[in-house]
């Protein structure tokens, strides 16, 4: 009887421990080791090459199962094990949102995993930009390391985008790989791109002219819009701030036929509050009404050939200036205001030709009409740009070839005395690129491009890149190349500044050219407990010849442009660190140290509005029990040299150290909805701090009471004690105080 009891006890214990958990771990990309474990227990295993796994002899009870693989989001899930019942659990691994396995196209014009690209490309998803919601792509870039939106006008609040301290004209902005945002739209066209339609933003730092031609001198920003096939049926994102800035983003997908899918996006922005918290009698922020409509079509074709076409129309009415200004004062000298009407249309598309070879025809076109009044100064401009490109993509053995021909037509005319007649230019080009893979760990990329400008003649831009994969977690990249920019000065910043200064060109401006070399290092660290860290560091060096410099100091009423009699340098080091903890805490931290200077006649000077150091961060934590996501974002900038009008100008010659910080709470407890709110500019920083004023002589914006000596120098008088003229160029950051915001998102899949 005793032995019978022991046998029964043995089988009962074995039965209570006979439960198993099995299943399959699916993933889009190849994963390394996939570890499955029950936390706080000895039960753990690894999936096989197909993703199958099995845990055996598990006692009944409540557990938390965790699935871990380098480069993928950690999965944690609570489960209950019932005695004598086996459990089948399948999992889907997803790439980390801030990880290194994204597919990119900007570096080589080919779709390739980011880690496999010979050219370093940074990728930012909508998840990243949701951490600090903004009304435009221009504002959204403020939390990207090494990228800084720069205001150029203290009244009209127009601006451009700096990469590694280089001015906006050196940054090429693309939509779906097409050079659609350039020239006039660098100043005015970055607003109105619906954020809800953005799939991701890719950034290449350093010259990319061998693929993209003119303007890609300092770097490029490629805005990739969503594929209509993968977009939700309906999406909406609406938010407002305590300044009563209201932004509405809507996206809708339709299927007109079995082989056609279309995505319609609408962006509406309205800000109509006259606010003057610095008490200078001028608006702190430009008032604006903007509507933008975007429509993208995707067509299914035989053999999965590509055919997409998209169009966007945008209209904006903005004004800033004297708080008493009304439209009836537009263009007059009674009450000062800067009023800008912008009309813009764009068309982009790609069509894969019906050949066995992969041949793609890409095209884009845009028209931009500007009707502006800067006080009594009228600036009316008309710009048309057309772009056509044919590429051939072929793999031959170890060689991955890309060749193409392109042509760009630009038309520009305005009513200024500097533009005596309309200017039309053609820029045909031919390029070839060969990516040679010596081994799975080593590859080299060789590229060159030849362009012929109808005004400036021949331009040749080569580049070379080498990638070494030391091991699964360590990658080195070395890139070198040249860039060029055909100058069209007035389409870039003339309109933003002409309200207070005349523009003078000392000589025929030559195309700017640059040489760049950078070394990129990526290190992935998997701590094995669900903690993952990615470190990316880039050392860069760019030398410019023929750089166009702006002289603000010789004459306070003028900006004098000329090619530098020497050279210019942009060099530094940039580091990004991504850290994901199993607790759900995530860090994205970046810092850039810059050394930018113009060297002329043996004298080295730091350019205006160029920081020595910048840092950005994003810290996120999800509180699971409350379905609440916390995001804390911010940036910090070192002092920048600012343009003063005279030796007696009382404003600081340098900006202070300053930081813009934001916090956001997002409630995720409703299916399909996200309710979010928070505070922007937590530290309540404005450029007016430590300055008597930002805009000089707002009491006399038409300079009616300014007196000059025989040499044209402004005299110091009783009603002009500092010897200044009206000027709006002393600006380096946004002029909005601390403010709250509240918004709601909805997605219907």
């Amino acid at each position: 009887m005793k032995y019978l009891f022991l046998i029964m006890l043995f089988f009962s214990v074995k039965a209570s421990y006979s439960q198993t958990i099995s299943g399959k771990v699916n993933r889009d990309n190849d994963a390394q080791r996939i570890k499955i474990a029950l936390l706080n227990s000895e039960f753990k295993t690894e999936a096989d090459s197909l993703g199958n796994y099995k845990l055996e002899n598990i006692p009944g009870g409540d557990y938390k199962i965790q699935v871990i693989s380098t480069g993928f989001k950690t999965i944690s899930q609570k489960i209950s094990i019932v005695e004598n019942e086996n459990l089948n659990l399948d999992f889907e691994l997803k790439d980390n949102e801030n990880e290194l396995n994204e597919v990119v196209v900007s570096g080589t014009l080919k779709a390739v995993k980011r880690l496999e690209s010979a050219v370093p490309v940074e990728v930012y998803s909508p998840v990243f930009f949701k951490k600090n919601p903004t009304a435009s792509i221009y504002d959204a870039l403020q939390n990207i390391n090494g990228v800084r939106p720069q205001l150029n006008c203290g009244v009209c609040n127009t601006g451009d985008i700096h990469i590694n301290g280089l001015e906006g004209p050196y940054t090429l902005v693309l939509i779906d790989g097409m050079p659609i945002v350039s020239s006039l739209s660098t100043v005015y066209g970055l607003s109105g791109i619906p954020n809800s339609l953005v799939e991701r933003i890719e950034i290449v730092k350093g010259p990319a002219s061998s693929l993209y031609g003119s303007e890609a001198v300092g770097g490029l920003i490629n805005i990739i819009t969503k594929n209509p096939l993968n977009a939700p049926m309906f999406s909406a994102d609406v938010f407002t701030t305590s300044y009563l800035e209201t932004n509405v983003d809507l996206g809708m997908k339709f299927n007109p036929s079995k082989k056609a899918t279309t995505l319609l996006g609408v962006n509406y922005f309205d800000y109509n509050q006259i606010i003057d918290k610095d008490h200078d009698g001028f608006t702190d922020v430009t008032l604006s009404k903007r509507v933008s409509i975007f429509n993208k079509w995707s067509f299914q074709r035989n053999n999965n050939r590509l055919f997409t076409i998209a169009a966007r129309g945008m209209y904006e009415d903005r004004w800033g200036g004297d708080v008493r200004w009304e439209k009836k004062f537009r263009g007059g000298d009674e009450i000062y205001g800067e009023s800008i009407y912008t009309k813009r249309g764009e068309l982009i598309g790609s069509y894969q030709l019906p050949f066995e070879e992969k041949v793609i025809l890409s095209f884009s076109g845009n028209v931009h009409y500007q009707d502006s009044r800067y006080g009594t100064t009228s600036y009316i401009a008309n710009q048309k740009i057309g772009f056509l490109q044919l590429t051939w993509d072929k793999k031959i053995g170890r060689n991955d070839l890309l060749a193409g021909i392109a042509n760009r037509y630009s038309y520009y005319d305005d009513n200024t005395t500097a533009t005596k007649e309309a200017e039309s230019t053609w820029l045909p080009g031919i390029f070839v690129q060969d990516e040679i893979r010596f081994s799975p760990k080593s590859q080299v990329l060789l590229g060159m491009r030849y362009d012929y400008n109808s005004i400036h003649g021949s331009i040749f831009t080569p580049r070379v890149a080498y990638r070494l994969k030391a091991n699964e977690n360590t990658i080195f990249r070395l890139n070198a190349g040249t860039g060029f920019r055909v100058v069209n000065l007035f389409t870039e910043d003339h309109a933003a500044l002409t309200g207070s200064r005349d523009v003078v060109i000392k000589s025929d401006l030559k195309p700017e050219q640059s040489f760049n070399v950078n070394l990129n290092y990526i290190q992935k660290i998997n701590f094995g407990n669900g903690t993952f860290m990615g470190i990316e560091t880039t050392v860069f060096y760019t030398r410019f010849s023929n750089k166009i410099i702006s002289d603000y100091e010789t004459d306070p009423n003028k900006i004098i442009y000329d090619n530098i009699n020497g050279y210019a340098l942009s060099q530094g080091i940039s580091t990004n660190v991504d850290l994901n903890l199993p607790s759900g805490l995530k860090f994205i931290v970046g810092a850039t140290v810059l050394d930018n200077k113009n060297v002329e006649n043996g004298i080295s000077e730091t350019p205006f509005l160029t920081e020595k150091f910048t840092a950005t961060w994003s810290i996120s934590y999800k509180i699971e029990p409350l379905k609440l996501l916390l995001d804390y974002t911010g940036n910090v900038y070192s002092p920048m040299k600012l343009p003063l009008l005279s030796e007696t100008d009382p404003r600081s010659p340098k900006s202070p150290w300053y930081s813009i910080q934001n916090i956001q709470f997002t409630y995720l407890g409703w299916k399909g909805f996200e309710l979010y709110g928070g505070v922007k500019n937590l530290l309540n920083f404005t450029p007016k701090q430590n300055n008597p004023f930002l805009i000089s002589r707002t009491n006399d914006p038409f300079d009616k009471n300014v007196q000059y000596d025989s040499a044209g120098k402004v005299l110091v008088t009783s009603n002009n004690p500092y010897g200044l003229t009206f000027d709006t160029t002393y600006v380096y950051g946004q002029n909005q105080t601390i403010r709250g915001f509240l918004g709601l998102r909805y997605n219907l899949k």
Side-chain angles (χ1 to χ4, degrees), residues 224-249:
I224 309 294
T225 60
K226 290 180 180 177
N227 185 334
L229 296 173
N230 302 327
M233 294 298 297
F234 176 78
S235 64
D237 188 348
V238 181
F239 76 86
T240 189
T241 72
S242 54
Y243 266 61
L244 297 183
E245 303 157 292
T246 301
N247 186 74
V248 179
D249 267 324

Side-chain angles (χ1 to χ4, degrees), residues 6 54 100 185 215 286 322 415 547 600 683 686 688 709 711:
L6 291 174
K54 190 173 185 179
L100 304 170
S185 58
E215 297 178 37
T286 304
D322 194 306
N415 66 326
K547 184 180 180 183
E600 191 170 18
L683 302 182
T686 61
K688 173 70 182 302
D709 63 17

Side-chain angles (χ1 to χ4, degrees), residues 636-695:
V636 61
Y637 300 109
S638 67
M640 295 176 275
K641 181 181 175 182
L642 301 175
L644 298 181
L645 298 184
S646 69
E647 295 180 356
T648 55
D649 193 329
R651 295 173 294 185
S652 173
K654 288 188 176 181
S655 63
W657 282 88
Y658 75 97
S659 175
I660 304 297
Q661 301 179 22
N662 319 285
I663 192 167
Q664 175 182 253
F665 299 90
T666 305
Y667 179 68
L668 306 170
W670 303 330
K671 184 177 181 180
F673 287 91
E674 294 181 9
L675 177 65
Y676 61 92
V679 179
K680 290 179 178 288
N681 194 6
L682 281 166
L683 302 182
N684 197 28
F685 173 81
T686 61
K688 173 70 182 302
Q689 296 175 13
N690 302 320
N691 273 306
F693 51 82
L694 290 177
I695 303 171

Side-chain angles (χ1 to χ4, degrees), residues 20 81 104 159 261 358 378 395 411 528 554 567 633 639 652-653 681:
T20 64
I81 303 295
V104 298
T261 305
K358 188 176 182 180
S378 171
K395 287 187 177 181
Y411 169 90
T554 300
Y567 61 93
T633 59
S652 173
N681 194 6

Side-chain angles (χ1 to χ4, degrees), residues 4 11 29-30 79 91 112 165 221 246 248 280 324 339 357 377 395-396 457 543 634 665 686 713 748:
L4 179 62
F11 279 106
N29 302 318
D30 293 335
I79 59 172
F91 298 98
V112 61
I221 298 171
T246 301
V248 179
D280 63 355
R324 300 167 297 170
S339 171
E357 301 287 335
T377 301
K395 287 187 177 181
I396 305 175
R543 188 182 193 275
F665 299 90
T686 61
K713 184 178 179 180
L748 176 64

